[in-house]
Amino acid sequence: MAARKKHYEKIYRTFTASISNAHDCGQYCAPLNDGQPVCCDVENAIPAASPPEWKVMKKRTNLWTKYFPDPDDKHAVKEVESINETCIACVCKGAAKCERDNRMLACRSFPFFPYLTKEGEFVGLGYYWIFEDRCWVISNLQIVESEFVKEFGDAYQMLLDADEGEYEAFLEQSAQMRRIFSRRGQIIPLIDRKGGYLKVLPKSGGKIEKASVKEFIKYGPYVSDMAYKAEVKRMEEIFADQ
Ligand code: SF4
Ligand code: SF4
């Protein structure tokens, strides 16, 4: 059982909400990344499309091409090899040429993935923790609109129901997050699909409780205004020297 073109066509029609109506989050992370929003910069995040998604997208636009990393960039080469085992690593023409209606599911969802319990229930939105130090949204989950949460939930529920491979991948992603946050001794913050917030307790076998967004910690340059301004200044100096 695998997702088909019709599933992605539906996702592109129905998952269109912005993460936030009040904030253009790229304005916060881009100054720390030489002016490029972190998730639109293939040096930071390599988008992956499943084969049916790739077919649908290639019929809609020429925005996307397959991504071939610099052969000297061993890390990127390894990541692309891993993506290409089941999907297609790809790259767009960059943020200045973004076509909103032709964003991949990966773009529409970032920085979130569907968090599944050990039993396989899709309870909420987890985030790709590897971007904690770069993505402003991860440190500001309170700005995520309920409309985005609903559309994300509907899109991924359809995908998980239709595609065993996607289901298994997110089951493993969620298990990995539990392992890592348990080692850290931290709660996993989740946005509840039903509204509000949840936390997965560390070393608890995945026990989930209601949470307040105030319990969720901030990361890196986003811990305070002062830290952010200092980091912007530091990065400006680095980019000016390049
Ligand atoms: S989702 Fe995160 S990484 Fe992407 S533009 Fe917004 S703040 Fe930046
Ligand atoms: S299509 Fe738009 S949102 Fe997606 S990576 Fe490219 S610039 Fe970013």
Side-chain angles (χ1 to χ4, degrees):
M1 195 174 57
R4 295 167 48 191
K5 288 194 285 183
K6 66 176 183 182
H7 296 110
Y8 288 98
E9 280 158 358
K10 185 165 183 195
I11 285 171
Y12 293 159
R13 278 198 311 275
T14 56
F15 184 14
T16 59
S18 298
I19 281 193
S20 168
N21 297 329
H23 300 272
D24 172 4
C25 57
Q27 288 195 346
Y28 302 114
C29 69
L32 306 176
N33 188 48
D34 204 9
Q36 294 299 313
V38 168
C39 59
C40 300
D41 174 5
V42 76
E43 305 266 319
N44 275 290
I46 303 171
S50 67
E53 179 169 28
W54 182 248
K55 278 190 194 147
V56 172
M57 192 55 90
K58 288 307 281 179
K59 279 202 172 159
R60 291 167 68 102
T61 179
N62 64 4
L63 177 66
W64 293 92
T65 50
K66 289 185 180 176
Y67 179 54
F68 300 98
D70 178 342
D72 292 334
D73 185 344
K74 301 292 176 218
H75 178 75
V77 168
K78 206 169 156 207
E79 195 177 342
V80 166
E81 278 172 4
S82 164
I83 291 172
N84 286 346
E85 280 173 19
T86 51
C87 292
I88 293 117
C90 49
V91 61
C92 73
K93 292 180 180 172
K97 294 188 176 164
C98 185
E99 296 170 14
R100 189 170 169 74
D101 289 345
N102 290 325
R103 291 169 302 145
M104 292 283 185
L105 176 58
C107 306
R108 295 169 199 239
S109 320
F110 195 90
F112 299 108
F113 69 90
Y115 177 90
L116 308 186
T117 63
K118 273 165 90 172
E119 295 72 31
E121 188 189 353
F122 170 24
V123 288
L125 283 63
Y127 57 65
Y128 290 105
W129 61 94
I130 195 171
F131 291 97
E132 280 164 345
D133 60 337
R134 285 162 285 165
C135 174
W136 175 83
V137 170
I138 289 175
S139 291
N140 291 280
L141 296 182
Q142 75 283 354
I143 60 90
V144 179
E145 301 285 347
S146 55
E147 193 186 355
F148 175 90
V149 175
K150 175 167 187 327
E151 291 183 10
F152 180 106
D154 291 347
Y156 275 100
Q157 191 64 65
M158 181 175 63
L159 199 59
L160 295 167
D161 290 345
D163 196 308
E164 217 169 313
E166 296 280 349
Y167 173 81
E168 291 296 334
F170 289 120
L171 196 62
E172 173 51 28
Q173 178 82 17
S174 305
Q176 199 186 353
M177 194 171 193
R178 284 192 291 276
R179 286 193 290 273
I180 288 175
F181 278 65
S182 282
R183 277 204 293 273
R184 291 179 178 180
Q186 284 179 4
I187 58 165
I188 296 176
L190 299 177
I191 301 178
D192 188 345
R193 276 183 74 186
K194 296 179 188 148
Y197 305 95
L198 301 170
K199 58 185 173 188
V200 184
L201 305 180
K203 298 176 185 155
S204 68
K207 188 172 177 212
I208 295 180
E209 292 181 354
K210 287 271 176 208
S212 157
V213 76
K214 290 183 186 146
E215 294 176 69
F216 300 161
I217 60 174
K218 295 178 185 287
Y219 293 94
Y222 305 121
V223 293
S224 67
D225 279 353
M226 197 194 284
Y228 178 71
K229 283 180 187 152
E231 187 63 2
V232 169
K233 190 160 179 286
R234 193 178 77 84
M235 295 311 287
E236 279 172 355
E237 284 165 7
I238 290 173
F239 297 133
D241 285 346
Q242 284 175 353

